[in-house]
Amino acid sequence: MVRDYNNRHALDQKLRGTPKPANADHLEVSHWQAIATVLAHAGLDAAVERALSSTPDLSLRYCGPGEWLVVSHVDTPVGLMRRLDMLCGTQAHVVDQSDGRVLLRLSGPSARTILAKGIGVDLHPAAFAHGGSTNVLCGHIAVNLMASGADVFELIVARSFAESLFDDLMAMGRQFDISSAFSE
Amino acid sequence: MASLITCPHCGVRPKEEFAIRGDASLVRPAPSASDEAWHDYVYVRANPRGRTVEHWHHVAGCRRFLVVERDTVTHEVYSVVDAAAAVRGAER
């Protein structure tokens, strides 16, 4: 039997219907972006980090020693892979995760309070500074968290956990009347 | 149980992010060692009261193996080091 392959976003089911206006606290689901994991070969952590951070439109998220998630909002997945291969071809393993991960952006004055319900890390700006990123556990789901603005956090989660994390975040933010939508 | 572990790569984290993988003080016997030595290494474990050295895996964080020295009575954590660094330190 032949089936048509439809490229659907992992949260299509959750965000059906006409979009409602965004409230003060808003969960935005990024629709199209390129994500890749980069794992530096042994001993080449610093060289790979230098190569990656030399490019301003690549957003680097720390996962562990010598391991990063690279997010690009301007490249296609294929384009990002090509660029990363040129940047650190023989120094690192690069794996495309554009369809394997989902990026969620939580913004608003209560963003920290909402996240603190599920994350056991100090999110105060003095401890988790703007631009900082790390892998954390949100409830029972491992996510990569980044403080991408004063009151803006970006979470990257494995596709198969996206619906569950989305439900958790909406429950955590219900007290603050959180809204959600796909980004434009 | 010690509830906060200071991961050398990620900072202070709750213990829920880790998986404990057992005693880190065991030394693998030589391949030609006796069956008794291998049996002890593979199966026999102490259940110590007090200071212990264990392998902890930071599953939800940096995914590195750590060597955690902690007290099973007072829950105090004495030291946390990356397992690879601990091996390198021991060889030196």
Side-chain angles (χ1 to χ4, degrees), chain A residues 63 65 67 120-121 134-135 137, chain B residues 9 13-14 16-17 60-63:
Chain A
C63 294
E67 190 181 347
V121 169
T134 185
N135 280 0
L137 206 58
Chain B
H9 308 296
R13 293 305 177 92
E16 282 75 14
E17 292 193 358
C62 54
R63 295 187 221 113

Side-chain angles (χ1 to χ4, degrees), chain B residues 16-36:
Chain B
E16 282 75 14
E17 292 193 358
F18 298 84
I20 302 177
R21 307 304 301 179
D23 194 345
S25 62
L26 295 171
V27 180
R28 192 182 176 87
S32 57
S34 66
D35 286 352
E36 285 72 37

